[in-house]
Amino acid sequence: MGILDKTLTAPDSSVWMTLLDAQRIFMQDVPEMLRSQVNQADLATSFVVYPTKGTDPEALAKAINLAVPGVKRLVPAPFKRR
């Protein structure tokens, strides 16, 4: 837990937390009368990973894919083709 220094890049407007924690926070914003009709797991369904310098993005994506059941990963390569 902590606050990072500003980088003046896109991650400065991001929060780092577990997907489950994000879903719990989003559930608090659902009006109380609708909460029983909303599946918490549907509120946040994706996350972004910024690899540290020297990390192979493809290897990281494969590791995430193996560690998180049902995840669909995207790596930078598909974006380069567009």
Side-chain angles (χ1 to χ4, degrees):
M1 178 189 242
I3 299 173
L4 303 174
D5 289 333
K6 288 184 180 182
T7 63
L8 303 178
T9 62
D12 280 348
S13 62
S14 301
V15 174
W16 296 358
M17 68 176 62
T18 67
L19 185 57
L20 182 58
D21 287 340
Q23 291 166 333
R24 287 180 184 149
I25 289 171
F26 285 139
M27 185 60 114
Q28 293 173 4
D29 287 337
V30 173
E32 192 169 336
M33 62 188 271
L34 299 176
R35 286 184 191 165
S36 65
Q37 301 171 35
V38 175
N39 182 349
Q40 179 175 300
D42 292 335
L43 294 176
T45 59
S46 65
F47 57 92
V48 177
V49 175
Y50 294 96
T52 57
K53 186 176 181 179
T55 301
D56 175 15
E58 183 64 37
L60 178 59
K62 286 180 184 177
I64 292 169
N65 197 41
L66 291 172
V68 183
V71 74
K72 293 180 183 176
R73 62 185 173 86
L74 294 175
V75 294
F79 298 103
K80 292 179 184 176
R81 287 185 238 144
R82 293 182 182 181

